[in-house]
Amino acid sequence: MTATIMDGKLIAKQLKERLKGEIQSLAALGIKPGLAVVLVGEDPASHVYVRNKEKACAELGLHSEVHKLPDNVEQDKLIDLIRLLNASEEIHGILVQKPLPSHIDDKAVIGAISVDKDVDGFHPVSVGNLLIGDEGFVPCTPAGVMEMLSVMNIDVAGKRAVVIGRSNIVGKPMAALLIRAHATVTVCHSRTPNLAEVTREADIVIAAIGKTKLVGAEHVRPGAVVIDVGVNRLPDGTLAGDVDFDAVKEIASAITPVPGGVGRMTIAMLMKNTVEAAKNLSAARIGG
Ligand code: NAP
């Protein structure tokens, strides 16, 4: 068997096309969704991520603002900025790019974002809403995985899913989303003994580890769906996932490549959340 390749580039493009239509309808009502990104310090990777977010906003016709603050900014100043953005009528989504410098308390900063504008889905109230099954923003990467599964008509209900990784940004919300979609979910991590034994039970394996090629053919049951969230930079500068793509594609029924897989979905979902936030915050004008 050779797996179907789940083309994140194409699925993200289709999602962005759908969003363009919604953005045009909002424009007719005088509403332009706006995203504010707060960037602290000079981390080169963060600068690249923020540029990509700006580019995506420009491509879709969203308003975007990048607020760059120096590495030594006081926490109070950062929180003051977030309060201004919470109050701004032009801004519907606020994202604080991580990592933040060590003198800043991440929780205080994320907790200061208005839940209505928490398009990253990291505010504790958003996390709670996800767990109790209420409406709210969901972190973009796991939301992107669910979108890919849906577009590929991979029904999750009743399936056994194994998530490898338990981070707050990927593993845990991923597991919560799969539970919400009625999968039977197991979460593995660095203390899980006999990982391959557990993952071989799965109909759907989701790797969010950060270790190149940790998931090999021995981890995958024939016919399983394999989603690779990992993004690892190799010594030659190229990117690789957590899954040994060449080996696993011979066994899986469907697989995401790296690059060109889940990574493509993350920014598209951020755009989707920003449009959603604009619709929610403008409900009175839309008539909703
Ligand atoms: P993270 O916070 O470092 O979490 C990694 C998880 O993997 C942890 O739960 C860890 O277990 C587990 N783990 C580490 N070694 C393991 C092993 N040998 N066996 C089983 N589990 C193991 O990373 P993250 O932020 O979740 O990101 C994971 C990967 O996804 C990274 O490659 C990151 O670059 C990528 N990522 C991609 C996107 C995207 O847009 N595509 C977005 C976010 C992240 P413990 O909890 O026990 O330490």
PDB file of all heavy atoms in Angstrom, residues 141 164-167 169-170 188-191 195 208-211 214 229-232 242 262-263 266, ligand 1:
ATOM      1  N   THR A 141      -2.801  24.970  15.374  1.00  0.00           N
ATOM      2  CA  THR A 141      -2.193  23.770  14.783  1.00  0.00           C
ATOM      3  C   THR A 141      -3.108  22.546  14.940  1.00  0.00           C
ATOM      4  O   THR A 141      -3.446  21.901  13.933  1.00  0.00           O
ATOM      5  CB  THR A 141      -0.785  23.534  15.355  1.00  0.00           C
ATOM      6  OG1 THR A 141      -0.004  24.692  15.060  1.00  0.00           O
ATOM      7  CG2 THR A 141      -0.133  22.305  14.766  1.00  0.00           C
ATOM      8  N   ILE A 164       1.080  11.587  20.101  1.00  0.00           N
ATOM      9  CA  ILE A 164       2.389  11.533  20.771  1.00  0.00           C
ATOM     10  C   ILE A 164       2.802  12.970  21.044  1.00  0.00           C
ATOM     11  O   ILE A 164       3.016  13.746  20.108  1.00  0.00           O
ATOM     12  CB  ILE A 164       3.459  10.822  19.921  1.00  0.00           C
ATOM     13  CG1 ILE A 164       2.889   9.565  19.265  1.00  0.00           C
ATOM     14  CG2 ILE A 164       4.678  10.472  20.781  1.00  0.00           C
ATOM     15  CD1 ILE A 164       3.822   8.921  18.240  1.00  0.00           C
ATOM     16  N   GLY A 165       2.897  13.330  22.307  1.00  0.00           N
ATOM     17  CA  GLY A 165       3.186  14.713  22.716  1.00  0.00           C
ATOM     18  C   GLY A 165       2.053  15.237  23.570  1.00  0.00           C
ATOM     19  O   GLY A 165       0.876  14.965  23.279  1.00  0.00           O
ATOM     20  N   ARG A 166       2.398  15.969  24.616  1.00  0.00           N
ATOM     21  CA  ARG A 166       1.364  16.486  25.540  1.00  0.00           C
ATOM     22  C   ARG A 166       1.584  17.960  25.850  1.00  0.00           C
ATOM     23  O   ARG A 166       1.341  18.414  26.966  1.00  0.00           O
ATOM     24  CB  ARG A 166       1.358  15.664  26.830  1.00  0.00           C
ATOM     25  CG  ARG A 166       2.715  15.608  27.510  1.00  0.00           C
ATOM     26  CD  ARG A 166       2.657  14.950  28.868  1.00  0.00           C
ATOM     27  NE  ARG A 166       3.995  14.601  29.319  1.00  0.00           N
ATOM     28  CZ  ARG A 166       4.265  14.039  30.481  1.00  0.00           C
ATOM     29  NH1 ARG A 166       3.297  13.763  31.326  1.00  0.00           N
ATOM     30  NH2 ARG A 166       5.513  13.745  30.810  1.00  0.00           N
ATOM     31  N   SER A 167       2.086  18.711  24.865  1.00  0.00           N
ATOM     32  CA  SER A 167       2.300  20.138  25.111  1.00  0.00           C
ATOM     33  C   SER A 167       0.965  20.864  25.143  1.00  0.00           C
ATOM     34  O   SER A 167      -0.043  20.365  24.629  1.00  0.00           O
ATOM     35  CB  SER A 167       3.182  20.746  24.021  1.00  0.00           C
ATOM     36  OG  SER A 167       2.455  20.844  22.816  1.00  0.00           O
ATOM     37  N   ILE A 169       0.348  23.545  23.511  1.00  0.00           N
ATOM     38  CA  ILE A 169      -0.004  24.154  22.229  1.00  0.00           C
ATOM     39  C   ILE A 169      -0.418  23.126  21.175  1.00  0.00           C
ATOM     40  O   ILE A 169      -1.151  23.459  20.255  1.00  0.00           O
ATOM     41  CB  ILE A 169       1.092  25.114  21.685  1.00  0.00           C
ATOM     42  CG1 ILE A 169       2.369  24.375  21.384  1.00  0.00           C
ATOM     43  CG2 ILE A 169       1.339  26.260  22.606  1.00  0.00           C
ATOM     44  CD1 ILE A 169       3.289  25.217  20.496  1.00  0.00           C
ATOM     45  N   VAL A 170       0.059  21.901  21.312  1.00  0.00           N
ATOM     46  CA  VAL A 170      -0.337  20.902  20.312  1.00  0.00           C
ATOM     47  C   VAL A 170      -0.978  19.660  20.955  1.00  0.00           C
ATOM     48  O   VAL A 170      -2.162  19.395  20.761  1.00  0.00           O
ATOM     49  CB  VAL A 170       0.839  20.454  19.402  1.00  0.00           C
ATOM     50  CG1 VAL A 170       0.294  19.632  18.236  1.00  0.00           C
ATOM     51  CG2 VAL A 170       1.651  21.615  18.878  1.00  0.00           C
ATOM     52  N   CYS A 188       0.538   9.848  24.456  1.00  0.00           N
ATOM     53  CA  CYS A 188       1.859   9.330  24.836  1.00  0.00           C
ATOM     54  C   CYS A 188       2.826  10.495  25.000  1.00  0.00           C
ATOM     55  O   CYS A 188       2.611  11.582  24.476  1.00  0.00           O
ATOM     56  CB  CYS A 188       2.407   8.405  23.751  1.00  0.00           C
ATOM     57  SG  CYS A 188       1.378   6.977  23.441  1.00  0.00           S
ATOM     58  N   HIS A 189       3.919  10.252  25.700  1.00  0.00           N
ATOM     59  CA  HIS A 189       4.928  11.287  25.946  1.00  0.00           C
ATOM     60  C   HIS A 189       6.263  10.616  26.228  1.00  0.00           C
ATOM     61  O   HIS A 189       6.393   9.400  26.026  1.00  0.00           O
ATOM     62  CB  HIS A 189       4.465  12.210  27.078  1.00  0.00           C
ATOM     63  CG  HIS A 189       3.890  11.467  28.231  1.00  0.00           C
ATOM     64  ND1 HIS A 189       4.675  10.762  29.109  1.00  0.00           N
ATOM     65  CD2 HIS A 189       2.604  11.268  28.590  1.00  0.00           C
ATOM     66  CE1 HIS A 189       3.900  10.183  29.994  1.00  0.00           C
ATOM     67  NE2 HIS A 189       2.633  10.466  29.692  1.00  0.00           N
ATOM     68  N   SER A 190       7.214  11.398  26.722  1.00  0.00           N
ATOM     69  CA  SER A 190       8.575  10.855  26.837  1.00  0.00           C
ATOM     70  C   SER A 190       8.681   9.749  27.892  1.00  0.00           C
ATOM     71  O   SER A 190       9.639   8.989  27.905  1.00  0.00           O
ATOM     72  CB  SER A 190       9.568  11.972  27.156  1.00  0.00           C
ATOM     73  OG  SER A 190       9.312  12.492  28.436  1.00  0.00           O
ATOM     74  N   ARG A 191       7.694   9.646  28.776  1.00  0.00           N
ATOM     75  CA  ARG A 191       7.752   8.594  29.800  1.00  0.00           C
ATOM     76  C   ARG A 191       6.925   7.373  29.417  1.00  0.00           C
ATOM     77  O   ARG A 191       6.730   6.483  30.232  1.00  0.00           O
ATOM     78  CB  ARG A 191       7.222   9.126  31.137  1.00  0.00           C
ATOM     79  CG  ARG A 191       7.803  10.439  31.608  1.00  0.00           C
ATOM     80  CD  ARG A 191       9.160  10.220  32.260  1.00  0.00           C
ATOM     81  NE  ARG A 191       9.626  11.473  32.834  1.00  0.00           N
ATOM     82  CZ  ARG A 191       9.441  11.820  34.101  1.00  0.00           C
ATOM     83  NH1 ARG A 191       8.826  11.021  34.932  1.00  0.00           N
ATOM     84  NH2 ARG A 191       9.904  12.973  34.527  1.00  0.00           N
ATOM     85  N   LEU A 195       6.512   2.625  23.220  1.00  0.00           N
ATOM     86  CA  LEU A 195       5.696   3.531  22.403  1.00  0.00           C
ATOM     87  C   LEU A 195       5.084   2.813  21.194  1.00  0.00           C
ATOM     88  O   LEU A 195       3.895   2.962  20.903  1.00  0.00           O
ATOM     89  CB  LEU A 195       6.568   4.718  21.957  1.00  0.00           C
ATOM     90  CG  LEU A 195       5.870   5.779  21.113  1.00  0.00           C
ATOM     91  CD1 LEU A 195       4.826   6.530  21.943  1.00  0.00           C
ATOM     92  CD2 LEU A 195       6.888   6.766  20.538  1.00  0.00           C
ATOM     93  N   ALA A 208       3.520  14.810  17.568  1.00  0.00           N
ATOM     94  CA  ALA A 208       3.839  16.218  17.883  1.00  0.00           C
ATOM     95  C   ALA A 208       4.931  16.199  18.940  1.00  0.00           C
ATOM     96  O   ALA A 208       4.707  16.474  20.114  1.00  0.00           O
ATOM     97  CB  ALA A 208       2.604  16.949  18.375  1.00  0.00           C
ATOM     98  N   ILE A 209       6.130  15.847  18.484  1.00  0.00           N
ATOM     99  CA  ILE A 209       7.215  15.498  19.407  1.00  0.00           C
ATOM    100  C   ILE A 209       8.389  16.472  19.295  1.00  0.00           C
ATOM    101  O   ILE A 209       8.923  16.960  20.304  1.00  0.00           O
ATOM    102  CB  ILE A 209       7.729  14.053  19.091  1.00  0.00           C
ATOM    103  CG1 ILE A 209       6.562  13.087  18.942  1.00  0.00           C
ATOM    104  CG2 ILE A 209       8.703  13.587  20.163  1.00  0.00           C
ATOM    105  CD1 ILE A 209       6.889  11.821  18.188  1.00  0.00           C
ATOM    106  N   GLY A 210       8.815  16.713  18.053  1.00  0.00           N
ATOM    107  CA  GLY A 210      10.015  17.529  17.868  1.00  0.00           C
ATOM    108  C   GLY A 210      11.279  16.689  17.799  1.00  0.00           C
ATOM    109  O   GLY A 210      12.363  17.139  18.155  1.00  0.00           O
ATOM    110  N   LYS A 211      11.146  15.423  17.337  1.00  0.00           N
ATOM    111  CA  LYS A 211      12.308  14.530  17.184  1.00  0.00           C
ATOM    112  C   LYS A 211      12.247  13.901  15.785  1.00  0.00           C
ATOM    113  O   LYS A 211      11.320  13.141  15.478  1.00  0.00           O
ATOM    114  CB  LYS A 211      12.274  13.420  18.236  1.00  0.00           C
ATOM    115  CG  LYS A 211      12.307  13.900  19.678  1.00  0.00           C
ATOM    116  CD  LYS A 211      13.613  13.497  20.358  1.00  0.00           C
ATOM    117  CE  LYS A 211      13.949  14.380  21.548  1.00  0.00           C
ATOM    118  NZ  LYS A 211      13.266  14.001  22.759  1.00  0.00           N
ATOM    119  N   LEU A 214      11.267  10.006  14.599  1.00  0.00           N
ATOM    120  CA  LEU A 214      11.071   9.130  15.759  1.00  0.00           C
ATOM    121  C   LEU A 214      10.008   8.057  15.469  1.00  0.00           C
ATOM    122  O   LEU A 214      10.077   6.950  15.969  1.00  0.00           O
ATOM    123  CB  LEU A 214      10.646   9.955  16.977  1.00  0.00           C
ATOM    124  CG  LEU A 214      10.581   9.139  18.253  1.00  0.00           C
ATOM    125  CD1 LEU A 214      11.484   9.740  19.316  1.00  0.00           C
ATOM    126  CD2 LEU A 214       9.165   9.052  18.781  1.00  0.00           C
ATOM    127  N   VAL A 229       3.043  16.453  12.901  1.00  0.00           N
ATOM    128  CA  VAL A 229       3.037  17.873  13.273  1.00  0.00           C
ATOM    129  C   VAL A 229       4.473  18.399  13.413  1.00  0.00           C
ATOM    130  O   VAL A 229       4.727  19.590  13.323  1.00  0.00           O
ATOM    131  CB  VAL A 229       2.246  18.092  14.589  1.00  0.00           C
ATOM    132  CG1 VAL A 229       2.211  19.557  14.984  1.00  0.00           C
ATOM    133  CG2 VAL A 229       0.824  17.561  14.461  1.00  0.00           C
ATOM    134  N   GLY A 230       5.413  17.504  13.597  1.00  0.00           N
ATOM    135  CA  GLY A 230       6.796  17.904  13.905  1.00  0.00           C
ATOM    136  C   GLY A 230       7.434  18.749  12.810  1.00  0.00           C
ATOM    137  O   GLY A 230       7.193  18.543  11.618  1.00  0.00           O
ATOM    138  N   VAL A 231       8.206  19.728  13.241  1.00  0.00           N
ATOM    139  CA  VAL A 231       9.013  20.522  12.306  1.00  0.00           C
ATOM    140  C   VAL A 231      10.418  20.569  12.907  1.00  0.00           C
ATOM    141  O   VAL A 231      10.638  21.191  13.938  1.00  0.00           O
ATOM    142  CB  VAL A 231       8.470  21.959  12.150  1.00  0.00           C
ATOM    143  CG1 VAL A 231       9.356  22.741  11.192  1.00  0.00           C
ATOM    144  CG2 VAL A 231       7.028  21.959  11.653  1.00  0.00           C
ATOM    145  N   ASN A 232      11.325  19.869  12.272  1.00  0.00           N
ATOM    146  CA  ASN A 232      12.693  19.800  12.793  1.00  0.00           C
ATOM    147  C   ASN A 232      13.660  20.270  11.717  1.00  0.00           C
ATOM    148  O   ASN A 232      13.536  19.856  10.559  1.00  0.00           O
ATOM    149  CB  ASN A 232      13.024  18.350  13.169  1.00  0.00           C
ATOM    150  CG  ASN A 232      11.972  17.749  14.100  1.00  0.00           C
ATOM    151  OD1 ASN A 232      11.799  18.201  15.223  1.00  0.00           O
ATOM    152  ND2 ASN A 232      11.246  16.741  13.622  1.00  0.00           N
ATOM    153  N   ASP A 242       8.508  14.457  12.376  1.00  0.00           N
ATOM    154  CA  ASP A 242       8.770  13.467  13.423  1.00  0.00           C
ATOM    155  C   ASP A 242       8.596  12.046  12.886  1.00  0.00           C
ATOM    156  O   ASP A 242       8.873  11.077  13.577  1.00  0.00           O
ATOM    157  CB  ASP A 242       7.761  13.660  14.575  1.00  0.00           C
ATOM    158  CG  ASP A 242       8.014  14.934  15.351  1.00  0.00           C
ATOM    159  OD1 ASP A 242       9.136  15.473  15.283  1.00  0.00           O
ATOM    160  OD2 ASP A 242       7.076  15.394  16.045  1.00  0.00           O
ATOM    161  N   VAL A 262       0.891  19.777   7.821  1.00  0.00           N
ATOM    162  CA  VAL A 262       0.194  20.495   8.904  1.00  0.00           C
ATOM    163  C   VAL A 262       0.652  21.955   9.014  1.00  0.00           C
ATOM    164  O   VAL A 262      -0.146  22.849   9.283  1.00  0.00           O
ATOM    165  CB  VAL A 262       0.420  19.763  10.248  1.00  0.00           C
ATOM    166  CG1 VAL A 262      -0.209  20.540  11.401  1.00  0.00           C
ATOM    167  CG2 VAL A 262      -0.136  18.349  10.186  1.00  0.00           C
ATOM    168  N   GLY A 263       1.945  22.174   8.795  1.00  0.00           N
ATOM    169  CA  GLY A 263       2.498  23.528   8.941  1.00  0.00           C
ATOM    170  C   GLY A 263       1.740  24.547   8.102  1.00  0.00           C
ATOM    171  O   GLY A 263       1.542  25.686   8.522  1.00  0.00           O
ATOM    172  N   THR A 266      -1.565  25.908   9.873  1.00  0.00           N
ATOM    173  CA  THR A 266      -1.582  26.692  11.111  1.00  0.00           C
ATOM    174  C   THR A 266      -1.964  28.146  10.841  1.00  0.00           C
ATOM    175  O   THR A 266      -2.853  28.696  11.496  1.00  0.00           O
ATOM    176  CB  THR A 266      -0.219  26.565  11.819  1.00  0.00           C
ATOM    177  OG1 THR A 266      -0.015  25.184  12.107  1.00  0.00           O
ATOM    178  CG2 THR A 266      -0.185  27.348  13.118  1.00  0.00           C
TER     179      THR A 266
HETATM  180  P1  NAP B   1       7.142  20.298  23.049  1.00  0.00           P
HETATM  181  O1  NAP B   1       6.464  21.309  23.902  1.00  0.00           O
HETATM  182  O2  NAP B   1       8.629  20.155  23.128  1.00  0.00           O
HETATM  183  O3  NAP B   1       6.483  18.874  23.374  1.00  0.00           O
HETATM  184  C1  NAP B   1       7.010  17.704  22.831  1.00  0.00           C
HETATM  185  C2  NAP B   1       6.254  16.520  23.382  1.00  0.00           C
HETATM  186  O4  NAP B   1       6.855  15.346  22.852  1.00  0.00           O
HETATM  187  C3  NAP B   1       6.335  16.410  24.909  1.00  0.00           C
HETATM  188  O5  NAP B   1       5.070  16.098  25.446  1.00  0.00           O
HETATM  189  C4  NAP B   1       7.317  15.282  25.129  1.00  0.00           C
HETATM  190  O6  NAP B   1       7.083  14.511  26.294  1.00  0.00           O
HETATM  191  C5  NAP B   1       7.090  14.419  23.900  1.00  0.00           C
HETATM  192  N1  NAP B   1       8.259  13.600  23.611  1.00  0.00           N
HETATM  193  C6  NAP B   1       9.551  13.998  23.547  1.00  0.00           C
HETATM  194  N2  NAP B   1      10.340  12.946  23.282  1.00  0.00           N
HETATM  195  C7  NAP B   1       9.540  11.872  23.190  1.00  0.00           C
HETATM  196  C8  NAP B   1       9.760  10.494  22.937  1.00  0.00           C
HETATM  197  N3  NAP B   1      10.994  10.013  22.736  1.00  0.00           N
HETATM  198  N4  NAP B   1       8.700   9.656  22.907  1.00  0.00           N
HETATM  199  C9  NAP B   1       7.443  10.123  23.115  1.00  0.00           C
HETATM  200  N5  NAP B   1       7.176  11.431  23.346  1.00  0.00           N
HETATM  201  C10 NAP B   1       8.202  12.285  23.393  1.00  0.00           C
HETATM  202  O7  NAP B   1       6.813  20.533  21.524  1.00  0.00           O
HETATM  203  P2  NAP B   1       5.501  21.148  20.812  1.00  0.00           P
HETATM  204  O8  NAP B   1       5.514  22.605  20.969  1.00  0.00           O
HETATM  205  O9  NAP B   1       4.296  20.367  21.192  1.00  0.00           O
HETATM  206  O10 NAP B   1       5.864  20.827  19.296  1.00  0.00           O
HETATM  207  C11 NAP B   1       6.032  19.501  18.837  1.00  0.00           C
HETATM  208  C12 NAP B   1       6.541  19.529  17.420  1.00  0.00           C
HETATM  209  O11 NAP B   1       5.562  20.161  16.616  1.00  0.00           O
HETATM  210  C13 NAP B   1       7.824  20.361  17.224  1.00  0.00           C
HETATM  211  O12 NAP B   1       8.579  19.766  16.196  1.00  0.00           O
HETATM  212  C14 NAP B   1       7.307  21.712  16.755  1.00  0.00           C
HETATM  213  O13 NAP B   1       8.242  22.406  15.969  1.00  0.00           O
HETATM  214  C15 NAP B   1       6.129  21.276  15.932  1.00  0.00           C
HETATM  215  N6  NAP B   1       5.095  22.290  15.798  1.00  0.00           N
HETATM  216  C16 NAP B   1       4.634  22.509  14.551  1.00  0.00           C
HETATM  217  C17 NAP B   1       3.651  23.441  14.345  1.00  0.00           C
HETATM  218  C18 NAP B   1       3.141  23.631  12.962  1.00  0.00           C
HETATM  219  O14 NAP B   1       2.584  24.675  12.642  1.00  0.00           O
HETATM  220  N7  NAP B   1       3.269  22.624  12.115  1.00  0.00           N
HETATM  221  C19 NAP B   1       3.128  24.188  15.397  1.00  0.00           C
HETATM  222  C20 NAP B   1       3.585  23.917  16.699  1.00  0.00           C
HETATM  223  C21 NAP B   1       4.574  22.955  16.878  1.00  0.00           C
HETATM  224  P3  NAP B   1       7.180  15.129  27.799  1.00  0.00           P
HETATM  225  O15 NAP B   1       5.944  15.926  27.991  1.00  0.00           O
HETATM  226  O16 NAP B   1       7.240  13.928  28.652  1.00  0.00           O
HETATM  227  O17 NAP B   1       8.424  15.957  27.816  1.00  0.00           O
END
